[in-house]
Amino acid sequence: EGYPEPYSGPSPFVIEAYRYADRVKCSLVNVGVLLRRRVLGHDVAYAEPLLTDFNPARVMSTLCRVHGHELLKDGLFNGDPHAG
């Protein structure tokens, strides 16, 4: 009781694979967009990757390391970690 559920989402490797596939897809789409712009003169927007750089597994790993260092090495814990 009181412990959060373990992370059960995709691994960092799988997230990077999704990101890579998204970038490849955008590159292929943008080749067609470039041809339509240059050859036909259409004003078509370029495709942008859908996936951002957010990776929950990496965020949780970093938070655990930072707060573990605070507790175990420094002997202090900041329970309200924000800049403002």
Side-chain angles (χ1 to χ4, degrees), residues 23-79:
R23 284 193 304 266
V24 168
K25 177 186 161 217
C26 283
S27 297
L28 294 173
V29 168
N30 284 335
V31 168
V33 170
L34 179 66
L35 291 174
R36 285 183 70 185
R37 285 178 151 222
R38 296 287 171 106
V39 175
L40 301 175
H42 293 164
D43 188 22
V44 181
Y46 285 104
E48 294 182 16
L50 300 174
L51 298 175
T52 62
D53 289 336
F54 179 70
N55 183 339
R58 188 178 301 148
V59 170
M60 285 307 299
S61 173
T62 302
L63 284 174
C64 288
R65 281 187 283 122
V66 167
H67 290 304
H69 181 86
E70 286 179 345
L71 284 170
L72 302 172
K73 295 268 182 159
D74 298 336
L76 299 170
F77 176 72
N78 181 4

